Amino acid sequence: MFAPRPRFGSQTPPAIFPPVLGALGLGLAWRRAADPFGMPSAAGDLILGAITMFFLFMMVAYGLKLWRRPKVVAEDLRVLPGRAGLSAAALSVYLLAAALVPLIPALAEILLWAGLLLQTGLVGLLLWLFATGPAEQRRVTPVWHLHFVGFILACLSAVPLGHTGLATVLLYATTGVALAIWAASLVQMLRQRLPAPLRPLLAIHLAPACLIGTVAASLGLMPLALAAAAVAVALLAALLVSARWLLAAGLSPLWGALSFPMAAFASLMLALAAALEGQAPGEAFRIAGGIALVAATLAIPPILVFVMQLWAKGRLAAQTNAARA
């Protein structure tokens, strides 16, 4: 007898979302390249348009799973790839809002508040699971940046929409949280050996520094922006030096965690290049931004294709312990 064919969406893995978050960030980075390099914003718009359709398809797929059995959300949040994936899905809403600000501001406004509501609800559920679940789930991981620092992504649309007060509060609050997570993670790394399969997640530590710098620059807080850039450069250098150790486990779905930090670093460099245009540091940031953008463009699409192929072949859910509806 043949096993019944699973219904579409019955085991949609949350691990599909991190590389999409990175691809959306790549589109925004290409849009930022319009000022420092005098390029048309069409390249960024094309990337954002294509990935938006892809993201909506994924949301429908996961929505079907959720509709069939709502408890799958709590089950997916009990495993690290699930927590990272669902947080990336919520954060992608912020990037969609940022992408739509120059095109449809009213829709961007709706998505901004929808993203805040969605992430707040997700964090609330996560905190409840931490409080009631085993102690292992409460271990600080780089994914905590997605949960608790990810609110800073709302600033990418809040600032151009005129919500500078909200953006300022989110900037300072998430900066404090990021510092706490970095400190706790450093202590854990000194005390414990990180398994090779989980090491790609360390790249997530780069993203908060990049976002803090980008948002600070958009608010005119250049000392904070430059300090965050210094931290981002130091973290990137550490990641590059340890790349062989970081990727020792080989290609895996967790490589999706590499995508968004790369796009975020390119955006930071380009944002500082625009903010410091005509000054010597601005030219240095422009060159760094161009190199980072090319590197991100070469790396993020293959990671996205790899993860999508695993999903299409039905292997991604098993490899990431995704719950079944």
Side-chain angles (χ1 to χ4, degrees):
M1 296 182 65
F2 293 99
R5 186 181 181 86
R7 294 178 295 176
F8 174 73
S10 62
Q11 201 176 4
T12 303
I16 58 178
F17 292 110
V20 170
L21 179 67
L24 288 171
L26 179 64
L28 291 175
W30 270 99
R31 183 184 279 178
R32 285 187 185 276
D35 289 334
F37 292 99
M39 298 171 57
S41 61
D45 292 340
L46 285 172
I47 295 172
L48 290 169
I51 301 302
T52 294
M53 298 304 295
F54 207 19
F55 172 66
L56 292 176
F57 171 74
M58 293 176 173
M59 290 295 282
V60 169
Y62 195 83
L64 287 173
K65 172 178 169 178
L66 180 61
W67 180 73
R68 288 169 182 154
R69 195 166 68 86
K71 289 185 178 180
V72 293
V73 173
E75 294 175 12
D76 278 332
L77 286 174
R78 290 192 174 97
V79 295
L80 192 58
R83 292 198 291 274
L86 289 178
S87 291
L91 299 184
S92 295
V93 177
Y94 294 135
L95 296 192
L96 286 183
L100 288 171
V101 167
L103 304 174
I104 315 175
L107 182 54
E109 182 90 26
I110 294 172
L111 287 174
L112 166 63
W113 295 106
L116 286 169
L117 182 63
L118 179 61
Q119 192 185 3
T120 300
L122 190 64
V123 168
L125 178 57
L126 192 61
L127 290 174
W128 178 78
L129 289 172
F130 283 169
T132 59
E136 298 80 42
Q137 289 186 351
R138 295 190 288 273
R139 183 178 182 272
V140 177
T141 72
V143 176
W144 277 37
H145 286 299
L146 300 181
H147 308 326
F148 306 114
V149 185
F151 288 98
I152 196 173
L153 282 171
C155 301
L156 298 181
S157 55
V159 173
L161 287 172
H163 303 300
T164 55
L166 171 65
T168 302
V169 170
L170 288 175
L171 171 62
Y172 286 117
T174 53
T175 297
V177 175
L179 289 171
I181 294 174
W182 281 327
S185 298
L186 179 60
V187 171
Q188 287 187 165
M189 284 189 64
L190 294 175
R191 292 178 177 176
Q192 302 174 11
R193 181 177 176 83
L194 189 66
L198 297 181
R199 291 173 193 167
L201 295 176
L202 291 173
I204 298 175
H205 283 304
L206 174 62
C210 298
L211 290 166
I212 290 166
T214 301
V215 173
S218 71
L219 291 170
L221 304 172
M222 293 310 297
L224 177 57
L226 292 173
V231 173
V233 170
L235 287 171
L236 179 61
L239 291 170
L240 291 176
V241 168
S242 59
R244 186 173 180 179
W245 173 83
L246 195 73
L247 306 177
L251 192 59
S252 79
L254 292 185
W255 277 36
L258 304 174
S259 59
F260 183 67
M262 287 190 287
F265 185 81
S267 281
L268 171 62
M269 295 295 105
L270 294 170
L272 291 175
L276 299 172
E277 186 177 5
Q279 304 177 40
E283 181 61 20
F285 284 124
R286 190 178 77 89
I287 295 172
I291 295 172
L293 183 60
V294 170
T297 303
L298 293 175
I300 293 174
I303 292 173
L304 176 62
V305 170
F306 168 70
V307 174
M308 294 307 103
Q309 286 178 337
L310 289 180
W311 184 29
K313 294 175 182 178
R315 294 159 51 191
L316 186 60
Q319 291 185 16
T320 57
N321 297 314
R324 182 184 294 275

